[in-house]
Amino acid sequence: MENNRVLEMAYLMIDGRRTVREVAKLIGYSKSTVHHDLTTKLEHMDYTLFLEVKSLLEYNKKVRHLRGGEATKLKYQKEFQSGTPLSESI
């Protein structure tokens, strides 16, 4: 059963080029569990698939600062459009 879960996580990540966070949300496990399964357990189950996942993890790590900047940009655009600072609306 656990093997199926790990493989499902790996295929979800690869097929959709998703992040660990996105896979965790889809499958209903924590980010820590997803990351642990994909970096330790998968290596012993399917090494070729592990290498693909590892490559995607490295790519996601390399561009995370860009994603963060884009998220911040969208946050402030939304704030500007609504006319109220987000700190006041919380």
Side-chain angles (χ1 to χ4, degrees), residues 2-14 18-24 27 29-57 60:
E2 184 176 301
N3 291 347
N4 291 338
R5 178 186 81 192
V6 174
L7 291 174
E8 182 181 0
M9 289 176 187
Y11 287 120
L12 278 172
M13 186 166 210
I14 299 262
R18 294 179 174 96
T19 63
V20 170
R21 204 177 277 248
E22 292 168 338
V23 172
I27 205 161
Y29 287 96
S30 71
K31 294 179 302 186
S32 300
T33 300
V34 172
H35 189 269
H36 179 265
D37 287 353
L38 293 177
T39 56
T40 57
K41 296 179 182 180
L42 184 61
E43 183 175 10
H44 303 292
M45 294 171 49
D46 185 338
Y47 192 72
T48 306
L49 187 59
F50 166 75
L51 291 176
E52 288 183 54
V53 168
K54 183 179 174 188
S55 173
L56 185 55
L57 286 169
N60 286 340

